[in-house]
């Protein structure tokens, strides 16, 4: 909100780019200041996908492997599926081309390692927030910094292997735009854009994000020759080990599938009526969202905002 105010209450793609740049700088500052006590912070990184609707226009910024996929209807009520902003997975042809152009003297800038295309044989994404050890040489060269041997970046790299430059998109929302699926990279390793959108389009809204998540996990189980029940019993162990991006932790779910986060947001001009539940009106004009492993509708933080004062009032109600 501060940046919007500083730009005369306007939102633009450049403002989103500025927001991502500030996030990256603040994170890197924390890593540098904490380097002596916690050098492992240089291993921490994350994708970042954020969206907002401002004066009827949708703005999206993405850094990393997440995606925003929109479902719209054509004049014959047929589903159209569109990925709204590019992801930065090294398996994508245009990402490989981009990396080779940025690193013309590095023949191994993109290699196939641990069953995936990776930047320098390490990271599956070419852009992210954090992962300082792949962006700034001092973190790789510091003797106190215990980078796993399999994740050592080349000590002689002369430019960052990764960046935090976002892919940005904006568009005016129309009545034909019905929903957006926000998913982390782990989802899109298991489902295509069309498969996920078809699930939303052909099923009732209650529990829709959970349905997508369960479908993805069932696919992960089949790929590993096990049942969903067997997969669900494997511990996730979130937050136990701070580690780099390349090697799955043995004995945890990361050995079978990447982390998955899913949110489905519906754009409603009119209430949807469902006489089988109480209250009868299951969604209201505006925006409602569903999250993985949750069957209920939630008023979404993703709202139509027209000015800064309205945004501040809304944020005060959800914080």
């Amino acid at each position: 909100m501060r940046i919007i105010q500083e730009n005369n209450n306007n939102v633009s793609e450049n403002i989103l780019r500025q927001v991502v740049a500030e996030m990256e700088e603040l994170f890197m500052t924390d890593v540098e200041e904490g380097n002596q006590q916690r050098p492992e912070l240089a291993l921490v990184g994350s994708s970042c996908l954020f969206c907002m609707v401002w004066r009827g226009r949708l703005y999206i910024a993405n850094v990393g492997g997440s995606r925003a996929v929109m479902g719209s209807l054509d004049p014959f009520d047929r589903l159209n599926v569109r990925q709204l902003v590019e992801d930065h997975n090294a398996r994508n042809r245009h990402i490989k081309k981009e990396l080779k152009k940025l690193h013309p003297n590095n023949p191994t800038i993109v290699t196939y390692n641990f069953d995936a295309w990776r930047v320098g044989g390490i990271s599956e994404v070419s852009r992210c927030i954090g992962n300082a050890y792949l962006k700034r040489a001092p973190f790789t060269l510091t003797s106190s910094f215990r980078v796993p041997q399999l994740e050592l970046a080349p000590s002689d790299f002369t430019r960052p292997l990764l960046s935090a430059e976002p892919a940005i998109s904006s568009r005016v929302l129309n009545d034909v735009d019905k929903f957006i699926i926000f998913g982390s990279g782990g989802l899109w390793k298991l489902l295509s854009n069309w498969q996920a959108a078809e699930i939303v389009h052909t099923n009732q809204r209650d529990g829709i994000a959970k349905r997508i998540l369960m479908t993805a996990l069932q696919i992960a189980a089949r790929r590993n020759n096990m049942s969903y029940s067997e997969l669900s019993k494997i511990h996730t162990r979130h937050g136990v080990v701070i580690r780099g991006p390349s090697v799955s932790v043995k004995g945890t779910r990361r050995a079978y599938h990447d982390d998955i986060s899913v949110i489905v947001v519906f754009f409603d001009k009119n209430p949807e009526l469902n006489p089988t539940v109480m209250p009868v009106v299951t969604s209201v004009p505006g925006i409602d969202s569903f999250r993985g492993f949750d069957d209920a509708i939630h008023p979404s933080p993703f709202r139509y905002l027209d000015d800064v004062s309205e945004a501040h009032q809304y944020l005060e109600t959800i914080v």
Side-chain angles (χ1 to χ4, degrees):
M1 292 302 106
R2 171 183 58 80
I3 296 175
I4 294 174
Q5 286 181 313
E6 291 172 353
N7 287 269
N8 299 317
N9 293 348
N10 291 314
V11 175
S12 67
E13 294 186 7
N14 284 335
I15 288 176
L16 268 66
R17 189 170 285 107
Q18 182 181 347
V19 170
V20 174
E22 288 198 15
M23 291 172 59
E24 170 77 350
E25 189 56 36
L26 287 170
F27 189 88
M28 287 298 193
T29 298
D30 286 345
V31 173
E32 291 174 351
E33 292 178 349
N35 188 45
Q36 294 300 319
Q37 289 74 32
R38 300 187 65 193
E40 68 274 10
L41 288 176
L43 278 170
V44 177
S46 176
S47 294
C48 174
L49 170 65
F50 73 91
C51 310
M52 66 183 302
V53 176
W54 191 265
R55 295 173 181 170
R57 191 172 188 89
L58 174 72
Y59 294 88
I60 301 181
N62 187 42
V63 181
S66 300
R67 295 182 193 173
V69 175
M70 174 174 279
S72 304
L73 298 180
D74 69 11
F76 301 98
D77 286 336
R78 294 175 299 197
L79 179 65
N80 287 327
V81 179
R82 177 184 179 185
Q83 184 173 327
L84 295 177
V85 66
E86 70 176 12
D87 60 275
H88 303 113
N89 196 295
R91 69 172 178 266
N92 297 338
R93 184 177 300 177
H94 70 281
I95 295 297
K96 292 178 184 176
K97 185 176 180 180
E98 176 184 82
L99 288 167
K100 290 176 181 178
K101 184 177 180 180
L102 289 171
H103 304 269
N105 298 319
N106 187 348
T108 61
I109 187 60
V110 185
T111 58
Y112 195 81
N113 197 21
F114 297 105
D115 300 319
W117 288 99
R118 301 177 186 272
V119 183
I122 302 168
S123 174
E124 287 190 66
V125 295
S126 63
R127 307 185 195 185
C128 66
I129 300 295
N131 279 335
Y133 79 115
L134 296 176
K135 294 177 178 176
R136 301 185 183 182
F139 294 108
T140 300
L141 302 179
T142 300
S143 59
S144 63
F145 179 51
R146 298 181 294 276
V147 180
Q149 184 65 35
L150 292 174
E151 299 189 6
L152 285 171
S155 61
D156 60 349
F157 71 90
T158 58
R159 62 181 304 164
L161 298 182
L162 308 180
S163 81
E165 178 66 24
I168 295 177
S169 175
S170 66
R171 59 174 286 165
V172 174
L173 285 173
N174 300 307
D175 289 344
V176 297
D177 299 327
K178 299 303 179 182
F179 61 83
I180 300 180
I181 304 166
F182 300 101
S184 62
L187 175 67
W188 309 113
K189 292 179 182 180
L190 299 166
L191 290 174
S192 68
N193 295 348
W194 179 266
Q195 287 173 324
E198 186 71 9
I199 291 172
V200 177
H201 183 58
T202 57
N203 290 278
Q204 64 180 15
R205 295 187 181 187
D206 292 352
I208 194 61
K210 180 178 178 180
R211 183 182 292 271
I212 294 174
L213 181 57
M214 295 288 287
T215 302
L217 292 178
Q218 288 167 358
I219 293 172
R222 288 200 299 270
R223 288 182 180 179
N224 289 280
N225 297 314
M226 62 176 63
S227 67
Y228 170 77
S229 177
E230 291 172 323
L231 179 65
S232 64
K233 293 176 183 177
I234 300 174
H235 204 287
T236 56
R237 293 186 187 176
H238 288 300
V240 173
V241 181
I242 295 178
R243 55 182 296 282
S246 69
V247 186
S248 295
V249 180
K250 291 183 179 180
T252 71
R253 291 274 282 276
R254 284 296 297 271
Y256 302 94
H257 66 82
D258 205 346
D259 294 340
I260 301 175
S261 297
V262 188
I263 297 175
V264 181
V265 174
F266 290 93
F267 298 96
D268 288 316
K269 301 301 180 183
N270 298 301
E272 180 182 83
L273 302 181
N274 187 342
T276 65
V277 300
M278 294 298 292
V280 172
V281 177
T282 62
S283 64
V284 298
I287 303 176
D288 289 323
S289 68
F290 295 80
R291 302 182 182 187
F293 282 122
D294 192 343
D295 293 331
I297 296 174
H298 297 275
S300 177
F302 198 82
R303 309 298 283 181
Y304 290 105
L305 301 176
D306 292 322
D307 56 52
V308 172
S309 62
E310 182 183 349
H312 278 302
Q313 290 175 354
Y314 183 72
L315 288 173
E316 288 174 357
T317 66
I318 64 173
V319 174

